[in-house]
Amino acid sequence: MIGIFDSGLGGLTVVKEIIKKLPNCPIVYFGDTARTPYGTKSAEIVTKYAIENTKFLLKLGAKIIVVACHTASSTAMDKLKEVFPDVPFFEVVTPSMRKALALTKNKKIGLIATRTTVESKIYDRLFAQADPEVKLYSQPAPLLVPLIEEGWLKRPETRRIVKKYLIPLKMKGVDTIILGCTHYPLIKKVIQEKAGKRRKLVDPSEEVAVEVEAFLKKHPEFYTEGEKQEPKIFVSDITPNFERIACLFLGRRIKLEKVNLE
Ligand code: DGL
């Protein structure tokens, strides 16, 4: 069973991509809707939450853990691997970095993400190690998460804000932009339109799904083949609005089950 967690329901974009690749592998998802957002919180607190979320998924029988949340992927991985040394972890930052490196021609790469992800400087470190010639330009885009959760995917207000966030990256001449947040794949078309069609976008939900599939093919001991079934979705808080948001991200209605992590 694959365990996937996120600060909330945005990580269902990752669930959707993993289901496309592994439709018969059982999935259990935890969305920390009681404590969302993570993108405005400190690395320390996000790490604490990430450990609790992982414990919960392992208790349910998950054999591998996918950290769908970009903010947790940026801040909590060292600690998670230290606390759970035997668990294979997947995160969304490294595959996105690799894809961006493969796509860029001029080695100027842009990143849009939450503030905490940008401030973690994880991408700066990874690119510096992988290719010191890469220039990374990062832009926090904090207004996009609430706009997307409101379902304002194509509204003029959203388009204007996307345009504003992309101006500094375009002025630097980036040819590739990483969508560094669970939510952004939902407005990929608007981002592409405002970025210009020659700029390449990296969608982390697609990249991490490729990695998970490749790993499970190589390590069948972690793979559980089951009947095609709906993923089990647990949340730490439930409201009609969270149900609506889940539907937005997964593209269909799904039952949410409330759990208490304490
Ligand atoms: N899931 C978060 C991320 O990908 C976005 C929402 C939040 O700030 O919690 O960074």
Side-chain angles (χ1 to χ4, degrees):
M1 179 155 46
I2 305 176
I4 305 177
F5 77 81
D6 178 40
S7 57
L9 296 158
L12 291 173
T13 50
V14 172
V15 172
K16 204 168 157 186
E17 292 304 320
I18 291 182
I19 291 176
K20 276 191 206 159
K21 302 227 170 282
L22 299 158
N24 295 327
C25 190
I27 291 177
V28 58
Y29 177 93
F30 176 69
D32 199 2
T33 47
R35 304 188 289 199
T36 200
Y38 285 6
T40 52
K41 296 198 169 73
S42 69
E44 197 186 346
I45 204 80
V46 172
T47 302
K48 176 180 175 288
Y49 295 165
I51 292 171
E52 290 169 6
N53 302 346
T54 302
K55 270 191 195 147
F56 171 71
L57 292 171
L58 293 176
K59 232 195 272 166
L60 292 179
K63 296 282 177 269
I64 71 169
I65 300 290
V66 180
V67 183
C69 178
H70 231 94
T71 307
S73 293
S74 303
T75 54
M77 294 318 300
D78 288 348
K79 196 75 192 168
L80 283 176
K81 288 176 188 166
E82 188 189 313
V83 177
F84 307 98
D86 301 326
V87 177
F89 278 101
F90 295 84
E91 38 79 22
V92 283
V93 171
T94 318
S96 313
M97 183 272 298
R98 284 201 199 109
K99 182 70 177 189
L101 269 185
L103 289 176
T104 185
K105 295 257 180 342
N106 68 4
K107 301 202 184 203
K108 292 183 183 175
I109 296 172
L111 166 72
I112 48 172
T114 64
R115 255 187 229 295
T116 303
T117 296
V118 169
E119 282 165 8
S120 77
K121 298 221 179 288
I122 180 94
Y123 278 101
D124 305 66
R125 287 197 294 279
L126 289 177
F127 279 119
Q129 278 162 19
D131 183 346
E133 283 179 13
V134 164
K135 292 220 172 344
L136 175 74
Y137 301 97
S138 304
Q139 175 65 48
L143 294 174
L144 297 183
V145 166
L147 286 168
I148 293 167
E149 292 197 348
E150 268 319 301
W152 287 25
L153 306 183
K154 293 180 189 154
R155 294 267 189 117
E157 293 84 348
T158 307
R159 288 175 192 280
R160 270 206 299 278
I161 289 169
V162 168
K163 183 174 173 199
K164 200 161 171 61
Y165 282 143
L166 293 182
I167 285 173
L169 303 181
K170 290 168 82 170
M171 280 172 56
K172 294 291 181 190
V174 304
D175 69 352
T176 305
I177 298 174
I178 299 172
L179 310 184
C181 173
T182 42
H183 289 50
Y184 304 164
L186 263 77
I187 54 164
K188 204 149 89 176
K189 277 201 184 132
V190 172
I191 296 174
Q192 187 74 69
E193 181 191 304
K194 297 298 174 196
K197 55 177 183 297
R198 279 179 331 205
R199 285 193 179 82
K200 303 270 190 316
L201 302 184
V202 175
D203 178 343
S205 60
E206 290 171 1
E207 301 314 317
V208 71
V210 171
E211 285 215 342
V212 170
E213 185 189 27
F215 173 85
L216 288 177
K217 283 208 167 125
K218 245 208 242 155
H219 299 276
E221 67 276 21
F222 290 101
Y223 181 73
T224 338
E225 174 94 23
E227 290 289 299
K228 199 171 173 187
Q229 55 182 293
E230 283 287 46
K232 283 206 171 14
I233 313 287
F234 293 96
V235 288
S236 47
D237 189 22
I238 197 162
T239 65
N241 195 39
F242 287 141
E243 289 180 332
R244 181 191 60 79
I245 294 172
C247 181
L248 190 70
F249 283 109
L250 200 62
R252 60 177 191 271
R253 287 193 74 78
I254 186 125
K255 197 170 147 274
L256 306 181
E257 209 171 307
K258 186 177 174 228
V259 286
N260 198 345
L261 286 200
E262 280 114 56

Coordinates of all heavy atoms in Angstrom, one line a residue, residues 6-11 35-40 68-72 92 113-114 117 145 149 180-183, ligand 1:
D6 N -0.3 15.1 2.6 CA -0.2 16.5 2.3 C -0.7 17.4 3.4 O -1.4 16.9 4.3 CB -1.0 16.8 1.0 CG -0.9 18.3 0.5 OD1 0.2 18.9 0.7 OD2 -1.9 18.8 0.1
S7 N -0.4 18.7 3.3 CA -1.0 19.6 4.3 C -2.5 19.7 4.3 O -3.1 20.1 5.2 CB -0.4 21.0 4.1 OG -0.7 21.4 2.7
G8 N -3.0 19.3 3.1 CA -4.5 19.4 3.0 C -4.9 18.5 1.8 O -4.5 17.3 1.8
L9 N -5.7 19.1 0.9 CA -6.2 18.2 -0.2 C -5.5 18.4 -1.5 O -5.8 17.7 -2.5 CB -7.7 18.5 -0.3 CG -8.4 18.1 1.0 CD1 -9.7 18.9 1.2 CD2 -8.6 16.6 1.1
G10 N -4.6 19.4 -1.6 CA -3.9 19.7 -2.8 C -3.1 18.4 -3.3 O -2.9 18.2 -4.5
G11 N -2.7 17.6 -2.3 CA -1.9 16.4 -2.7 C -2.7 15.4 -3.4 O -2.1 14.4 -3.9
R35 N -4.7 21.5 10.1 CA -3.5 22.3 10.4 C -3.0 23.0 9.1 O -1.9 23.6 9.1 CB -2.4 21.4 11.0 CG -2.9 20.8 12.3 CD -1.8 20.0 13.0 NE -1.3 18.8 12.4 CZ -0.6 17.9 13.0 NH1 -0.4 18.0 14.3 NH2 -0.2 16.8 12.3
T36 N -3.7 22.8 8.0 CA -3.3 23.5 6.8 C -3.5 25.0 7.0 O -4.3 25.4 7.8 CB -4.2 23.0 5.6 OG1 -3.6 23.2 4.4 CG2 -5.6 23.6 5.6
P37 N -2.7 25.9 6.3 CA -1.7 25.6 5.4 C -0.3 25.4 6.1 O -0.1 25.8 7.2 CB -1.6 26.9 4.6 CG -2.0 28.0 5.5 CD -3.0 27.3 6.4
Y38 N 0.5 24.6 5.4 CA 1.9 24.5 5.9 C 2.8 25.6 5.3 O 3.9 25.9 5.8 CB 2.5 23.1 5.4 CG 2.0 21.9 6.2 CD1 1.0 21.9 7.1 CD2 2.6 20.6 5.9 CE1 0.5 20.8 7.8 CE2 2.1 19.5 6.6 CZ 1.1 19.6 7.5 OH 0.7 18.4 8.1
G39 N 2.4 26.1 4.1 CA 3.3 26.9 3.4 C 3.6 28.3 4.0 O 4.5 29.0 3.5
T40 N 2.9 28.6 5.1 CA 3.2 29.8 5.8 C 3.8 29.5 7.2 O 4.0 30.4 8.0 CB 1.8 30.5 6.1 OG1 0.9 29.6 6.7 CG2 1.2 31.0 4.8
A68 N 3.5 14.4 -0.6 CA 3.0 15.1 -1.8 C 3.2 16.6 -1.6 O 3.2 17.4 -2.6 CB 1.5 14.8 -2.0
C69 N 3.3 17.0 -0.4 CA 3.3 18.5 -0.1 C 4.7 19.0 -0.4 O 5.7 18.5 0.1 CB 3.0 18.6 1.4 SG 3.1 20.3 2.0
H70 N 4.7 20.1 -1.2 CA 6.0 20.6 -1.5 C 6.7 21.3 -0.3 O 7.9 21.2 -0.2 CB 5.8 21.7 -2.6 CG 6.7 21.5 -3.8 ND1 6.3 20.8 -4.9 CD2 7.9 21.9 -4.0 CE1 7.3 20.8 -5.7 NE2 8.3 21.4 -5.2
T71 N 5.9 21.9 0.5 CA 6.5 22.5 1.7 C 7.2 21.5 2.6 O 8.3 21.7 3.1 CB 5.4 23.3 2.5 OG1 4.8 24.2 1.5 CG2 6.0 24.2 3.6
A72 N 6.5 20.4 2.9 CA 7.0 19.3 3.7 C 8.2 18.7 3.0 O 9.2 18.3 3.6 CB 6.0 18.3 4.1
V92 N 8.6 15.5 -3.6 CA 8.3 16.1 -4.9 C 9.4 17.1 -5.4 O 9.4 17.5 -6.6 CB 6.9 16.9 -4.9 CG1 5.8 15.9 -5.0 CG2 6.8 17.7 -3.7
A113 N 6.4 28.9 -5.7 CA 6.1 28.0 -4.6 C 5.6 28.8 -3.4 O 5.4 30.0 -3.4 CB 7.4 27.3 -4.2
T114 N 5.3 28.1 -2.3 CA 4.9 28.8 -1.1 C 6.1 29.5 -0.5 O 7.3 29.2 -0.9 CB 4.4 27.8 0.0 OG1 5.5 26.9 0.4 CG2 3.2 27.0 -0.5
T117 N 8.6 27.0 1.2 CA 9.4 26.3 0.3 C 10.5 27.1 -0.3 O 11.7 26.7 -0.3 CB 8.5 25.7 -0.9 OG1 7.6 24.8 -0.3 CG2 9.3 25.1 -2.0
V145 N -2.7 29.7 -3.6 CA -3.4 28.6 -2.9 C -4.8 28.9 -2.6 O -5.8 28.2 -3.0 CB -2.6 28.1 -1.7 CG1 -3.5 27.2 -0.8 CG2 -1.3 27.3 -2.1
E149 N -8.2 27.1 -4.2 CA -9.2 26.5 -3.3 C -10.6 27.1 -3.4 O -11.6 26.4 -3.2 CB -8.7 26.5 -1.8 CG -7.4 25.6 -1.7 CD -7.1 25.3 -0.3 OE1 -7.7 25.8 0.6 OE2 -6.2 24.4 -0.1
G180 N 6.0 24.7 -8.0 CA 6.5 24.1 -6.7 C 5.4 24.0 -5.6 O 5.7 24.4 -4.5
C181 N 4.2 23.6 -5.9 CA 3.2 23.5 -4.9 C 2.1 22.6 -5.4 O 1.8 22.6 -6.6 CB 2.6 24.9 -4.7 SG 1.1 25.0 -3.7
T182 N 1.5 21.8 -4.5 CA 0.5 20.8 -4.9 C -0.6 21.4 -5.7 O -1.2 20.7 -6.6 CB -0.1 20.3 -3.6 OG1 -0.4 21.3 -2.7 CG2 0.7 19.2 -3.0
H183 N -0.9 22.7 -5.5 CA -2.1 23.2 -6.1 C -2.0 23.7 -7.5 O -2.9 23.8 -8.3 CB -2.6 24.5 -5.3 CG -3.1 24.2 -3.9 ND1 -2.5 23.3 -3.0 CD2 -4.3 24.6 -3.3 CE1 -3.2 23.3 -1.9 NE2 -4.3 24.0 -2.1
Ligands
DGL1 N1 0.6 21.6 0.0 C1 1.3 22.8 0.1 C2 2.5 22.8 -0.8 O1 2.5 22.0 -1.7 C3 0.4 24.0 -0.3 C4 -0.7 24.3 0.7 C5 -0.1 24.8 2.0 O2 0.5 25.8 2.1 O3 -0.3 24.0 2.9 O4 3.4 23.5 -0.5

